[in-house]
Amino acid sequence: MTTLVPRGAYSDEELRRLYPATLKLQLVQIGNEVQFRLDFRIVVMTKTDWSTWNALQWRRRMETFGDDDRPVLAAGPEGAVDTICQLGELTDKGRETTLALGERLRHLYVNQLGFMPRIISDADMIYLRATPMPRALDSVQQSFVGMYPSSARTASFPPPTIITRAAADETLFPNEGNCRRFSQLGRAFAQRTADRWNDSKDMEYLNFLISKWMPEGQRVAVDSHPRLSGIMDTVNSTLAHGPKTRLPSAFYDPKGREIIDKIGTEEWFSGYKESQEYRKLGIGALVGDIVTRMVGSAEGSGNDGLLEVAGVDGDLEKGRGGESGIKFAMSGCHDTTLAAVLSSLGAFEGEKWPPYTSHIAVELFKDESIKTEDAFPTEPAPRQSFLGSSRKKTKPASLMMRKPTQELTAEEKAKLQGHYVRLRYNDRPVTIPGCKLPGNHLEGDDTFCTLQAFKAIADKFTPRIWTDACVEGLNEPTFPISPEPAGF
């Protein structure tokens, strides 16, 4: 795993097969992985009032301790001092590749499919979100600019809305730091991996290759310091950035890298494949949000993300350009997010660790030949403030998007009819095992899962209240008693 080498654009024949004329594309949700941790340049926004924003470009230099404890400038391999970054920040290479991802999304959804407009006057039909990590925010900005460069935005284009959360509420990546039970589960599965591999022939091979560079005479191990997964991350980051960042050649041994990838993938993602609780606490809240937006789009209630990004101040019923729904969503997330989603849906078998700038596209389609019942029109769920609801409810809001499928009424299930969900991982359609069952997919193509079947699969690991689930079962066993396969 290094940087994704994207395939070329779909041919006309591939487009006809992937986007059949009988289905209308209704909603696209993209999760793209951020990457790289070396060198960057930054642009920030400074606010003068609530309606006007100005770009501020600034030159950042980093300071560190000198030999005698005096402050000195940090410098790169060739003495550069103006393009140095902290660990974990987006690099210039990362900006380049996430920009290119946005350009590929524009080519598909604007140029080829005509799903999104060529020029936009605001972004209130687009849901943008990022994790609290700066590189995630930078990545989603780069991808957005790639999809809608300045030439595709009107002169009066207002700042787009980007949603973020406090770290304690973040569900856009597996949040071990703020979910006690998930932290327990993560440690247990990691320890199982260590017990399985630390004394294996594969680990002996890795120690033969690279143990002489380990600190304080340590052996390479799943749980060494640095951990094996940390070594993998460093190897992949340096491979992505060229010879000036390279480690000794032994770190790039092909067999060694295969072993490291195999063990790292097991350590981090086997729990999603085996445990319903692991899925629920690790990624279930995010998958629930994805389903919420699709169900909200299907029922036309505004619960597709519009309430989070639209309008100004308290007037959130419509977008600033009159938009009444979200068509496109893009989230700056992480490799652990993508693999967790795919593994939890049973769609990550035999896969390697996600390459940098990987992405998942979750696409919602509507078969317009099927009439969706709308006997009970709904209104958007109310926005919540710190003091409670931001406006009065005139009638009960629809909450069917979070209601388990088995609890839906016949009228609510009817609103899901004729809708299909398809996942593409790095431009390749994937199949969810439960969607292969009769009646759960589009006839002739099991990559198109019915929305009702997809929601039923996701419901099984969507927590009712994630924060409550994180402190439940702390004294319970960490491994399931019987198999709990993913994707059904």
Side-chain angles (χ1 to χ4, degrees):
M1 181 276 285
T2 54
T3 305
L4 175 71
V5 178
R7 55 151 289 160
Y10 293 129
S11 66
D12 290 343
E13 181 180 347
E14 288 174 314
L15 281 177
R16 284 191 293 271
R17 186 178 71 253
L18 291 170
Y19 297 91
T22 55
L23 298 181
K24 178 183 178 182
L25 188 59
Q26 183 166 324
L27 174 68
V28 177
Q29 299 181 73
I30 302 290
N32 62 288
E33 180 203 349
V34 301
Q35 68 165 35
F36 307 138
R37 297 137 171 81
L38 297 175
D39 151 69
F40 88 141
R41 299 181 180 90
I42 190 167
V43 177
V44 301
M45 304 297 292
T46 58
K47 182 175 58 179
T48 57
D49 60 46
W50 289 111
S51 61
T52 304
W53 292 69
N54 294 313
L56 173 67
Q57 290 183 305
W58 55 289
R59 183 175 67 175
R60 189 185 76 170
R61 292 182 174 180
M62 288 182 58
E63 196 172 78
T64 187
F65 287 109
D67 293 338
D68 56 358
D69 232 29
R70 62 185 175 85
V72 297
L73 284 178
E78 296 183 339
V81 297
D82 290 331
T83 57
I84 306 300
C85 73
Q86 301 275 11
L87 294 175
E89 291 178 331
L90 192 68
T91 66
D92 288 345
K93 182 68 173 179
R95 291 178 181 276
E96 174 189 325
T97 57
T98 48
L99 179 73
L101 171 62
E103 292 171 342
R104 298 200 307 275
L105 294 174
R106 179 176 179 83
H107 183 69
L108 175 61
Y109 292 110
V110 177
N111 298 340
Q112 291 186 298
L113 296 176
F115 173 67
M116 294 294 287
R118 290 186 175 276
I119 297 176
I120 55 176
S121 57
D122 66 68
D124 284 3
M125 70 175 73
I126 302 173
Y127 177 96
L128 301 173
R129 182 178 160 192
T131 71
M133 298 184 185
R135 65 180 183 269
L137 179 60
D138 291 341
S139 288
V140 80
Q141 289 173 327
Q142 290 291 155
S143 295
F144 176 77
V145 170
M147 188 170 181
Y148 281 104
S150 58
S151 60
R153 290 176 267 137
T154 62
S156 60
F157 184 85
T161 302
I162 300 180
I163 304 294
T164 59
R165 292 189 180 189
D169 298 333
E170 188 55 76
T171 57
L172 200 50
F173 60 79
N175 196 342
E176 287 190 31
N178 290 285
C179 185
R180 289 178 61 193
R181 178 59 175 169
F182 184 59
S183 180
Q184 279 187 341
L185 300 179
R187 288 196 300 271
F189 276 87
Q191 186 59 52
R192 187 186 70 174
T193 304
D195 293 342
R196 178 177 293 168
W197 291 103
N198 278 356
D199 295 323
S200 67
K201 291 183 178 180
D202 282 342
M203 195 65 70
E204 286 297 328
Y205 183 77
L206 294 180
N207 275 280
F208 168 75
L209 286 177
I210 60 176
S211 62
K212 66 180 179 180
W213 288 286
M214 290 291 287
E216 300 174 356
Q218 285 190 75
R219 282 176 53 82
V220 178
V222 172
D223 50 358
S224 58
H225 299 279
R227 296 184 72 89
L228 185 62
S229 57
I231 295 173
M232 177 180 67
D233 196 39
T234 301
V235 168
N236 291 327
S237 294
T238 57
L239 273 174
H241 284 87
K244 293 180 181 178
T245 66
R246 291 292 168 85
L247 302 169
S249 61
F251 285 89
Y252 306 105
D253 177 79
K255 179 181 176 181
R257 290 184 59 213
E258 286 284 338
I259 293 171
I260 292 173
D261 189 282
K262 174 180 63 178
I263 297 174
T265 300
E266 177 182 321
E267 177 191 1
W268 284 77
F269 308 129
S270 60
Y272 299 103
K273 299 178 180 181
E274 301 177 25
S275 167
Q276 196 84 288
E277 185 182 21
Y278 203 104
R279 295 190 281 270
K280 178 174 72 172
L281 299 179
I283 209 66
L286 174 60
V287 174
D289 291 345
I290 293 170
V291 172
T292 291
R293 285 191 284 272
M294 291 193 291
V295 173
S297 179
E299 66 171 345
S301 66
N303 295 312
D304 53 8
L306 179 72
L307 297 179
E308 284 86 343
V309 304
V312 178
D313 295 333
D315 182 13
L316 305 178
E317 295 298 328
K318 290 185 179 295
R320 286 168 286 186
E323 296 87 354
S324 59
I326 295 294
K327 294 188 68 176
F328 200 89
M330 190 185 305
S331 296
C333 50
H334 304 270
D335 45 10
T336 53
T337 310
L338 304 189
V341 169
L342 292 169
S343 297
S344 295
L345 293 170
F348 200 65
E349 291 300 321
E351 297 284 353
K352 296 182 180 297
W353 195 283
Y356 290 132
T357 322
S358 290
H359 74 284
I360 298 174
V362 184
E363 298 169 319
L364 177 67
F365 295 83
K366 174 70 169 69
D367 185 343
E368 294 193 302
S369 68
I370 298 177
K371 182 68 174 178
T372 301
E373 296 293 336
D374 194 20
F376 296 86
T378 57
E379 78 166 32
R383 181 173 64 98
Q384 296 293 316
S385 71
F386 289 111
L387 301 178
S389 176
S390 63
R391 59 184 177 86
K392 294 181 179 179
K393 291 191 292 181
T394 58
K395 59 181 178 179
S398 167
L399 296 176
M400 64 175 283
M401 62 277 187
R402 284 291 191 181
K403 188 187 295 186
T405 301
Q406 66 269 22
E407 298 178 15
L408 295 178
T409 66
E411 291 81 9
E412 289 171 330
K413 289 181 179 178
K415 293 177 181 179
L416 307 181
Q417 291 177 1
H419 289 87
Y420 296 90
V421 181
R422 198 258 307 279
L423 269 67
R424 292 185 303 108
Y425 172 47
N426 289 335
D427 299 315
R428 173 171 50 86
V430 298
T431 303
I432 298 167
C435 298
K436 295 180 179 180
L437 301 177
N440 283 1
H441 59 267
L442 182 69
E443 185 175 355
D445 191 340
D446 58 15
T447 65
F448 287 92
C449 190
T450 66
L451 176 56
Q452 183 170 327
F454 186 91
K455 177 172 164 40
I457 293 168
D459 285 345
K460 293 177 182 176
F461 61 94
T462 298
R464 293 271 187 165
I465 306 293
W466 178 72
T467 51
D468 290 349
C470 284
V471 294
E472 294 172 350
L474 295 174
N475 296 317
E476 298 298 320
T478 49
F479 294 98
I481 297 174
S482 57
E484 297 174 347
F488 293 95

